[in-house]
Amino acid sequence: MPGAPCLIDRYAAYLPVSERTPRLTLGEGGTPLVRARSLERETGVPEIWLKVEGANPTGSFKDRGMVVAVAKALEGGARAVLCASTGNTAASAAAYAARAQIPCTVVLPAGQVALGKLVQAVAFGARIVSVRGPFDAALAVVKELAAAGEATLVNSVNPLRLEGQKTAAFEVCEALGDAPDALFIPVGNAGNITAYWKGFVEATGAGMARRRPRMFGYQAEGAAPLVSGRPIAEPETLATAIRIGNPASWKGAVAARDESGGAIEAVSDDEILAAYRFAARCEGVFVEPASAAAIAGLRKRAKAGGLEGVRQVVCVLTGNGLKDPDRARTLAGEIDEVDASADAVRRAIGGMGGHRPPNA
Ligand code: F0G
């Protein structure tokens, strides 16, 4: 078929869709699985793969769930969609709503959405409102608006979102021929870990896999309600995507952890930043800070000797590094501006670095 692949078509047999469901698509899914040799060397795990979800049309995994949620909303005659978001859900909802030519409203935690995500919502023409408070407060507001019948809610409390997102687990099983020993994934509102687990369970039932992975979820230390076991009123982390104090899919995350024999753990902002650098500089994969939490978790667990018997790992990299240009800018210091001559450039750089191993 020419043109972009359509996730709904590809997995129609496993999704709650019919011939009547509009084949909405922006070419979502089918993202790369990239071998992570530097991480393998560091951790001693023989095989590590990065599922690069930042390669989706709006730069995050949200597109998988959003395409299904918006297509089904259209099928049901919805006239508008609505979400709360730390940014990526908003970008994705705005894009698919634009594609479907229906209005989209996004409610954001004021001052806490990375610039790249915000400009996406603007570009796609969403109505945007910031509310004072964390994501959790924004979610409470949109739930109330949706209950009044004003628009279809496309947050992951809408089960169609999780249906779409579970297709990433199918892709992993198809690519590896089975599920891996362990999956590492960042956790915020906890929809994605819930969706992956559902996907892996269904994959074994459908003959796509013989086994299921242990699920390892990572929250930021200042926003780790699933680790402490109770909601947090004022979550805090530089990984704004997962700055969430009371995850909507709490039960799903706990079930994924317990049924799989995995864990949900916390990583510090410093560990997240170190992993953010490592992914970019040692693997050539530029992710946003929240995604780096999964890599931080993998490195931390490896260091603590907590990967006994784990030979094959998939690490889910949920969003593209370009989403958060302000954070990215902190990776480099001042950039020299010099005259346009080879000598001046050579002086500024101090050599091309070819005599040293990269990033050592
Ligand atoms: N990584 C990124 C890049 C995210 O944007 C999110 C969630 C997560 C991880 C966590 O996924 O919520 O399913 O546990 N972002 C949401 C949003 C909350 O509004 O864009 P989760």
Side-chain angles (χ1 to χ4, degrees):
M1 189 180 50
C6 174
L7 182 134
I8 292 176
D9 263 338
R10 208 166 131 217
Y11 291 112
Y14 306 98
L15 295 171
V17 296
S18 70
E19 298 91 76
R20 287 191 314 281
T21 311
R23 263 34 183 184
L24 186 67
T25 188
L26 286 167
E28 59 291 326
T31 54
L33 199 59
V34 176
R35 190 84 183 250
R37 303 276 186 192
S38 296
L39 259 183
E40 289 171 3
R41 274 194 296 278
E42 188 196 82
T43 59
V45 176
E47 206 180 314
I48 301 176
W49 297 91
L50 309 175
K51 183 68 171 158
V52 185
E53 289 290 279
N56 275 297
T58 74
S60 87
F61 70 98
K62 305 285 181 180
D63 295 341
R64 295 178 182 277
M66 201 56 71
V67 71
V68 176
V70 176
K72 291 294 287 184
L74 287 176
E75 183 182 345
R79 287 195 301 268
V81 293
L82 168 71
C83 68
S85 180
T86 56
N88 281 324
T89 297
S92 187
Y96 284 93
R99 187 79 177 169
Q101 287 291 284
I102 55 173
C104 172
T105 297
V106 304
V107 180
L108 310 175
Q112 293 294 335
V113 173
L115 184 61
K117 307 172 187 185
L118 195 61
V119 299
Q120 284 181 293
V122 173
F124 294 127
R127 296 146 194 241
I128 305 171
V129 188
S130 285
V131 295
R132 289 183 280 274
F135 166 83
D136 310 275
L139 184 60
V141 169
V142 296
K143 278 183 178 167
E144 198 178 324
L145 293 170
E150 293 173 55
T152 301
L153 190 62
V154 293
N155 278 105
S156 60
V157 291
N158 177 338
L160 293 163
R161 279 274 313 280
L162 304 191
E163 289 295 323
Q165 284 173 212
K166 78 184 178 189
T167 60
F170 297 166
E171 287 179 13
V172 165
C173 294
E174 285 166 354
L176 299 178
D178 203 343
D181 292 323
L183 188 95
F184 282 71
I185 186 170
V187 176
N189 211 24
N192 211 28
I193 190 172
T194 304
Y196 267 85
W197 182 238
K198 186 171 200 291
F200 284 120
V201 169
E202 289 182 20
T204 48
M208 280 184 246
R210 289 179 300 281
R211 57 177 182 166
R212 297 166 188 174
R214 292 173 69 192
M215 304 287 285
F216 293 99
Y218 287 88
Q219 302 203 285
E221 248 169 35
L226 289 163
V227 180
S228 66
R230 59 195 112 70
I232 290 166
E234 289 175 15
E236 211 39 82
T237 170
L238 60 81
T240 51
I242 53 172
R243 190 175 174 273
I244 294 174
N246 191 11
S249 295
W250 188 299
K251 285 189 188 140
V254 168
R257 177 193 71 193
D258 295 345
E259 289 169 20
S260 76
I264 297 177
E265 300 171 321
V267 284
S268 70
D269 278 6
D270 283 348
E271 287 166 332
I272 289 173
L273 277 186
Y276 176 69
R277 276 179 82 97
F278 186 94
R281 305 238 164 139
C282 302
E283 297 293 358
V285 179
F286 184 30
V287 300
E288 64 171 285
S291 309
I295 293 179
L298 176 57
R299 296 173 90 196
K300 192 172 185 170
R301 217 166 219 277
K303 221 180 211 165
L307 292 173
E308 195 77 20
V310 173
R311 300 193 53 77
Q312 190 187 49
V313 163
V314 170
C315 202
V316 182
L317 302 183
T318 47
N320 194 297
L322 293 170
K323 292 277 193 174
D324 195 345
D326 297 312
R327 179 58 54 193
R329 196 63 192 75
T330 66
L331 284 174
E334 282 303 300
I335 294 170
D336 289 335
E337 184 180 315
V338 300
D339 290 337
S341 80
D343 265 355
V345 171
R346 196 178 287 117
R347 263 199 310 277
I349 297 292
M352 299 292 159
H355 56 290
R356 274 184 270 128
N359 311 308

